[in-house]
Amino acid sequence: MPKVWLPSPMRDVTGGQHTLDIPGKTVREVLANLMARYPGARERLLREDGRLQPHLVLLAGDVQVDDWETPLEPGSELVITAALGGGCRPA
Amino acid sequence: MKVTEKNGHEYRVIGTRPIRHDGVDKVTGRAQFGADVRLPGMLYGQVVRSPYPHARIKSIDTRRAQEHPGVRAIITAADMPALDTDAVAELGEGAIELKYASQLIMARDKVVYQGQPVAAVAATTRQAARDAARLIEVEYEPLPVVEDALAAMDPGAPLIHADLYTVTPGGGKAEQPSNVAKHIQYERGDLEAGFAEADVVIEREFRTAMVHQGYIEPQNATASWEADGRLTVWTSTQGAFSAREQLAQLLQIPAGRIRVIPMEVGGGFGGKIQVYLEPIAALLSRKAGRPVKMWMSRAEVFTGTGPGSPTYIRCKLGAKRSGALVAAQLYMVYDAGAFPGAPVGAGAVTALSPYRVPNFRIDGYDVVTNKPRVQSYRAPGAPQAAFAVETVLDEIAESLGMDPVELRLKNASAEGDRLVYGTPFNRIGFREVLEAVRDHPHYNAPLPERRGPYAFGRGVAAGFWFGGSLTSTVQLTFNPDGTVNLITGSVDLSGSRASLAMIVAEELGLEPHEVKPIVADTDTVGYTDVTGGSRTTYATGTACWRACQDAIAQLKVRAAQLLEADPDAVTFGGGEFWLWEEPQYRISLKEVVANLQKTGGPIVAKGIVNKLKMAPAFGAHIVDVGVDLETGKVDIVRYTAVQDVGKAIHPTAVEGQLQGGAAQGIGWALFEGYVFDGGVMRNPNFLDYRLPTALDLPMIDTVLVEVPASDGPYGVRGVGETPIVPPIAAVANAIARATGVRIRELPMSPERVWRALGGADQPASDDQAGETG
């Protein structure tokens, strides 16, 4: 199953883990399963309208993912990290 | 001429050094810059700027200015849409919240930096506009000024924005407002255990100055708002589409009504992505009903645009006796100026990712102060971070008695090692770069003996930049004589026309001069992101390569008609189409193009890129300095810049990038810095803000290491940003080797070096610190 790399500040909701093996065949499925397993993760990752928090980005490998239907192969990696491009982006 | 690669590839055009396509126009003065725009009935605009770094605007009285006979329009924030929204304006390289971007154009209720616009005038002459601007009376109520980022973080510091709450990506949002916009954090392993395991631990503090990109051409814009609502803007920008999107959002008009025409650019380095004058010229034009042209003075450029971020960094590294790094901790405060958006994220990622460190923690803070809001400046955030890490690494090497290059080689990241946020590097050439430094004659040459007060030292340092992709569009059209028009949305900052044309020439079997590169406006070509982030030759070059494949596929069908064969039987190479099985039947691309009208009409080929893999470029620099121990003056005696460039399309252009980046980095190291007094800049001119000149620099030698990137054609990597990353630390390390004294605050001006050498009893005061030699 895909491995998810989390932003360090999320470790308090994942029991200290910054990498997790989360099942799912697409980015959307992996995120949904992650949030189902760790309920506190939802508000860290998503805005109220369900979109990704604006100060975060998703990377499949080293390519930014905007389409959550992007397939993730078993053994692939999904990285959730802070957006690098300047700009305070309010929640 | 053919260039033969070590891997056996032969290129006919790639790797050669043709004359730049824009060269003749630029050296003969025919190239059209923003200053050359002249339109019938054109007015001239002038901005009224705040003299205060922090003040409430009590009133703006424009009545006396309105009575000036030359005045045709006056605007204030009341003429701009109020954008109290959380929407973010993406700048391609960086981002800014729209409500803050709007206040960079025109202050609304209060000013938060000296030089912030509060009103603007359009008049029949430049002088009339200036005279009328002086007649606008603005009443201010000065507020306490927060000049220093560390002081701004104090819980008792005056708040610059009452609605700013610290955001921690992946964490939460603070409940109390503060001047800290963002706190980013990267952590791995067990920090405490890592430092406990170390045989040597060194912790140091570093401070860098606010520095300007120093482009020679000031910001300028001419706008014509037509009666039917269409807006045309001629401007000096790194990205016409980015400028269009910003205008659409700031003015709340559809992007399709705006045409941005990018003029030639006299330098940008990241500073010409954010719009400043464009919306003001547009609003003045709408109000006056005539075109309006504006440009900044040098003082306006310094105070009214976006320099590079000043920083405070505390860096602690731990290593085993073998040299293996085992722990690292970084506390990084990046000053954003008046609105959030300092490049602390890139600083944090570039700081440690070059090395394998099993245990680390990085805390980075984006902090607002009453100074100009920073913008991208060539590898934004990375030179500051490298100054800290590469200096402490040098101290570790010294304390372990190791060669500093060997220390770096021992710890250097390679393919598969992870950046601090978890993504693994694809193919990178850091080790190859360090090996090239280790084996270079410069690194192994003896240093000059001490001569009188002059002591000599050699320093090395390394660094990298990501090499991004973003979006590029390229179109190819064909002329009857077989030449090709290459239409790109990538603004040419540094000779990219030539590199892109060479890719097309290589693929289509043409000579570089048979490809005519055209930088198009926003109505003419598909969306293309900014020229920035070292992406143009990589991403737009890939779009060129794809457009060529599209063209070849289309032309193959036409060639098949002319050869009376099935298209599947036709192949292409070296500028000719021929039949697979009967190679004696062949026809040149030029002949096919000459017969397009007879075989179905013209063709248009396109190439689009919007996602490529990261193509990181690593560099390492060697510098010899001579330090006058009596005056503190530092001379650069010899300099060599080594970089993995993937594949140099036009080696002269690539070498120029390495030399230019090194020169700018030397400027940061030795000369440059804003000098503030209560938030007011005291040196907004090129006499008191000292850029390095040819007299300050030796010939900068370059070594191009070619480790192909994982993606894109030919293995090319972007090269523009990396060369500004190592120089500061390299110079600081060289000064330390020459004098035995470490200087950890920029610029390392003669006064600062002299004081560090014991030249005075008192340390430099704040306002002396930035004075240049």
Side-chain angles (χ1 to χ4, degrees), chain B residues 1-12 14-16 647 706:
Chain B
M1 173 185 170
K2 285 186 176 178
V3 178
T4 304
E5 298 287 290
K6 284 180 188 168
N7 58 13
H9 290 161
E10 277 194 352
Y11 296 120
R12 195 178 42 83
I14 302 299
T16 63
K647 175 66 199 160
E706 295 189 326

Side-chain angles (χ1 to χ4, degrees), chain A residues 12-50:
Chain A
D12 62 334
V13 298
T14 59
Q17 301 296 309
H18 67 270
T19 59
L20 298 166
D21 292 325
I22 302 290
K25 292 179 179 169
T26 63
V27 170
R28 186 181 300 282
E29 287 181 17
V30 168
L31 289 176
N33 290 332
L34 169 68
M35 292 182 292
R37 188 185 298 180
Y38 301 101
R42 183 179 175 80
E43 69 176 36
R44 303 291 183 86
L45 296 176
L46 304 185
R47 291 182 277 198
E48 285 181 3
D49 61 8

Side-chain angles (χ1 to χ4, degrees), chain A residues 5 7-11 18 44 55-56 59 61-66 77 79-91, chain B residues 86 88 90 94-95 97 167-171 181-182 185-187 340-341 345 349 418 421-424 426 466 611 613-614:
Chain A
W5 285 73
S8 299
M10 279 189 69
R11 293 208 289 191
H18 67 270
R44 303 291 183 86
H55 46 266
L56 294 175
L59 303 165
D62 60 359
V63 177
Q64 187 169 331
V65 175
D66 298 318
E77 295 189 346
V79 176
I80 307 171
T81 186
L84 295 186
C88 168
R89 312 211 186 161
Chain B
D86 289 341
V88 172
E90 294 289 349
E97 273 180 75
V167 171
T168 302
K182 188 156 65 175
Q185 194 180 81
Y186 300 105
E187 198 169 6
V349 174
R418 294 181 184 275
Y421 53 82
T423 294
N426 52 37
F466 307 92
K611 292 256 188 334
K613 291 180 179 175
M614 184 169 53

Side-chain angles (χ1 to χ4, degrees), chain B residues 426-688:
Chain B
N426 52 37
R427 194 170 181 193
I428 57 174
F430 191 23
R431 293 192 64 83
E432 288 84 346
V433 164
L434 291 171
E435 286 164 359
V437 168
R438 182 192 60 196
D439 300 337
H440 195 274
H442 178 179
Y443 193 63
N444 296 290
L447 276 167
E449 295 291 326
R450 179 169 170 169
R451 289 198 298 266
Y454 278 96
F456 296 88
R458 176 169 298 149
V460 292
F464 87 104
W465 189 251
F466 307 92
S469 162
L470 300 176
T471 299
S472 290
T473 307
V474 160
Q475 294 156 211
L476 300 178
T477 60
F478 292 83
N479 304 312
D481 59 359
T483 59
V484 179
N485 303 317
L486 157 58
I487 303 161
T488 170
S490 285
V491 171
D492 184 356
L493 298 181
S494 54
S496 57
R497 283 183 181 93
S499 301
L500 300 178
M502 288 170 71
I503 291 172
V504 173
E506 181 73 46
E507 293 304 314
L508 299 184
L510 300 171
E511 296 304 317
H513 70 268
E514 293 176 312
V515 181
K516 186 164 63 178
I518 299 160
V519 178
D521 65 60
T522 53
D523 278 4
T524 310
V525 68
Y527 182 89
T528 300
D529 271 308
V530 298
T531 297
S534 297
R535 62 173 291 279
T536 302
T537 305
Y538 180 48
T540 309
T542 301
C544 286
W545 185 89
R546 290 179 181 176
C548 290
Q549 309 319 307
D550 182 24
I552 290 166
Q554 294 187 56
L555 290 169
K556 196 181 280 185
V557 176
R558 308 300 181 87
Q561 287 184 46
L562 296 169
L563 292 170
E564 297 179 349
D566 188 281
D568 290 340
V570 179
T571 191
F572 177 76
E576 287 187 314
F577 295 91
W578 72 91
L579 302 186
W580 275 109
E581 294 179 350
E582 297 171 283
Q584 70 273 25
Y585 294 104
R586 54 180 57 224
I587 184 169
S588 74
L589 179 141
K590 287 183 178 178
E591 288 175 84
V592 176
V593 167
N595 286 286
L596 283 178
Q597 296 295 356
K598 297 176 189 167
T599 56
I603 69 163
V604 178
K606 69 177 191 300
I608 298 169
V609 160
N610 77 344
K611 292 256 188 334
L612 292 174
K613 291 180 179 175
M614 184 169 53
F618 281 78
H621 293 193
I622 317 165
V623 58
D624 294 355
V625 300
V627 183
D628 184 332
L629 301 176
E630 292 179 355
T631 65
K633 186 172 186 296
V634 177
D635 291 318
I636 305 294
V637 177
R638 186 175 179 185
Y639 203 104
T640 304
V642 182
Q643 187 169 316
D644 171 21
V645 301
K647 175 66 199 160
I649 301 294
H650 191 309
T652 306
V654 173
E655 290 157 1
Q657 288 292 309
L658 269 59
Q659 292 165 328
Q664 284 190 310
I666 291 167
W668 287 44
L670 297 179
F671 308 116
E672 298 182 44
Y674 279 49
V675 179
F676 286 103
D677 182 2
V680 175
M681 187 185 184
R682 289 177 56 189
N683 59 338
N685 59 73
F686 277 152
L687 283 177
D688 299 314

